[in-house]
Amino acid sequence: MSECPHVAELPRPEPAPLSDTCTECLAAGTHPVQLRLCLTCGHVGCCDSSPLRHTTAHVEATGHPIARSFEPGEDWRWCYVDGSIV
């Protein structure tokens, strides 16, 4: 996995998850598909395969660049700014 400039800006240790699911999906009455954890603030949102794409909406609203998979057994991270796995 390559390093993007945003990786160096991430808090260490990573933030604790603010929830165990996408609270925006729950509020909207939709089912989250594949959860993502914002590595800047701990927001948990659904991926772009979900109808409302809450992680992308969070990135666009906050500018927080990197999220990691919040699915059991997965540890990959995605930079939404660079469009790459980091």
Side-chain angles (χ1 to χ4, degrees):
M1 291 184 219
S2 64
E3 293 292 315
C4 77
H6 304 102
V7 172
E9 301 168 7
L10 291 175
R12 305 273 195 275
E14 74 179 40
L18 298 177
S19 66
D20 60 354
T21 191
C22 179
T23 56
E24 290 99 334
C25 278
L26 290 179
T30 61
H31 180 72
V33 177
Q34 299 291 318
L35 298 174
R36 307 291 179 246
L37 173 69
C38 174
L39 293 180
T40 301
C41 71
H43 173 269
V44 176
C46 57
C47 77
D48 286 354
S49 294
S50 287
L52 300 175
R53 304 174 49 195
H54 289 119
T55 298
T56 294
H58 175 76
V59 169
E60 290 170 353
T62 64
H64 297 165
I66 300 175
R68 75 162 170 83
S69 176
F70 197 53
E71 295 298 313
E74 295 182 3
D75 63 358
W76 57 267
R77 303 175 300 177
W78 179 260
C79 179
Y80 283 79
V81 175
D82 295 330
S84 63
I85 290 178
V86 295

